[in-house]
Amino acid sequence: MSDAYASLAAVLDRLGELTGRPGRLPEVLDVADLSHRTGIPVSVVVELLAGGRAPETSLAGRVRQRLDFIRETRRRPDGKRYSLDELARIAGTSRQWLSEWRKSGMPGLQHTDRLRRFFGLPAGFFTADEPEALQEALRPVLQSLEAEADPLVRLRESGLIRLAARAPQMNARQLATLADLAEMIITAERGLS
C-alpha cells in the first residue's frame, strides 16, 4: 500500500505546484465532491490531501463502509434515501443478503458491479484503497489544471508538436478546440489501423 501513497504524493505535489497551494489542497479542491465520488469520508479525504494516511481497514470493512456510504449519500429522483429493498433490487439480490453484506462486507462481484453501474461509480469503487481511489478521482482535476497551465500540452501529448508550434497566437479556447479536433482525428486513424 505504500506504493499507492507514493503515487498519491506525486499527484498531490503536482497539484500543489499548479494551484500555488502546496500542502493546502483542501482549501482549493472540492473535498465534498471528492468524498462523494470515492466513497471516502470527508475527514479522510482532507487527511490524505494534507499528506496524511487513511485509517487501516480490511477489504471487507472498506466494502461495508462504501455500501453504507452509498446508502447515506445517494438519493432517489424524489430526494429520498434508497431503502434496503430498493438497493437489493438494484444489486439483483434479496434484502436479507444485502443486510448480511452490511454485516460481513463481502457481496459478490456481480452484485457490487450492478450497484456501481447503477450509481455511475468508478471501477474499483468498493475495493480500491483510499489513496488509490483518491488518486483516480484527482486525475481529471490534475489534467484540467495542467491544460490550463499549458494549453498546448494536449497537442504535444498527441504528437502534434509542429501544429502546436504554429498556435502561439491562438487563445486558450481556440487551442482547446484544436486539441479536441486533433484527438478526434488521431482516435479515428487508430480505429482504421
Side-chain angles (χ1 to χ4, degrees), residues 108-155:
L109 291 176
Q110 70 214 34
H111 301 295
T112 56
D113 193 55
R114 287 182 69 167
L115 285 169
R116 182 190 70 76
R117 288 176 187 274
F118 180 84
F119 290 108
L121 302 167
F125 177 84
F126 287 100
T127 57
D129 65 20
E130 288 78 359
E132 290 171 322
L134 184 57
Q135 181 178 348
E136 186 63 30
L138 289 171
R139 184 175 311 198
V141 174
L142 180 60
Q143 289 172 341
S144 174
L145 289 172
E146 285 182 331
E148 286 176 23
D150 181 5
L152 299 178
V153 72
R154 288 172 55 204
L155 293 174

Side-chain angles (χ1 to χ4, degrees), residues 78-97:
D78 64 5
K80 294 180 182 177
R81 273 182 18 172
Y82 285 91
S83 69
L84 288 177
D85 286 327
E86 290 169 316
L87 288 175
R89 273 194 300 280
I90 292 166
T93 190
S94 68
R95 183 176 196 264
Q96 290 77 17
W97 274 108

